[in-house]
Amino acid sequence: FFPLAPNFNHLNGRTWAVLADTIQDWLSNNISLTHSDVWLWGREFFWMAFVAAFPGFPRREWPLWDPKIGMEGECIIYWMSDIGSGSERFPDDVQTGVWRKFHDLATMLYTLPLFQEY
């Protein structure tokens, strides 16, 4: 799922949804690697992309994901624990916050350019 498309826009929910689908496909096709670091990091990236695509999750509508991808990892655990606060999340705020974490983690783990060149 890396490098990202050159037109990736972190403020566009549809862009995040496409990325979440791409990561989900990768995770589902590499299920034998479930306990490897690369799969666990992929799962973390999936949940980042998923909540950025669907910032109303789990209160509003969202698509089902492959049940083999557990609700585990730092991102989704934090996301679900914060639900109880009752605060409304604005999509742009969520997407910007997720992008910061996503970008920092990606540039730490992925040593090649993060974006595809045309």
Side-chain angles (χ1 to χ4, degrees):
F1 48 91
F2 287 122
L4 299 175
N7 61 344
F8 182 84
N9 177 356
H10 75 274
L11 294 176
N12 182 315
R14 183 70 192 128
T15 301
W16 282 109
V18 169
L19 180 59
D21 284 345
T22 301
I23 297 170
Q24 177 175 234
D25 288 346
W26 182 87
L27 290 168
S28 297
N29 291 327
N30 290 285
I31 204 70
S32 65
L33 303 175
T34 303
H35 298 291
S36 71
D37 287 343
V38 69
W39 198 90
L40 297 174
W41 285 120
R43 183 183 64 198
E44 192 69 15
F45 286 121
F46 168 76
W47 285 117
M48 288 181 190
F50 190 88
V51 299
F54 308 101
F57 175 77
R59 292 188 178 132
R60 296 200 183 112
E61 199 171 304
W62 72 87
L64 295 177
W65 64 90
D66 187 327
K68 292 178 250 171
I69 303 170
M71 289 183 71
E72 301 171 89
E74 186 178 318
C75 174
I76 197 64
I77 288 171
Y78 172 78
W79 185 262
M80 296 305 288
S81 69
D82 194 45
I83 291 297
S85 71
S87 61
E88 183 69 23
R89 297 177 173 131
F90 297 99
D92 286 355
D93 294 342
V94 170
Q95 292 161 343
T96 297
V98 168
W99 174 245
R100 282 190 205 115
K101 292 184 180 298
F102 188 98
H103 182 267
D104 290 350
L105 185 59
T107 54
M108 182 177 76
L109 297 172
Y110 186 72
T111 57
L112 298 173
L114 191 55
F115 290 93
Q116 292 176 358
E117 295 183 23
Y118 285 102

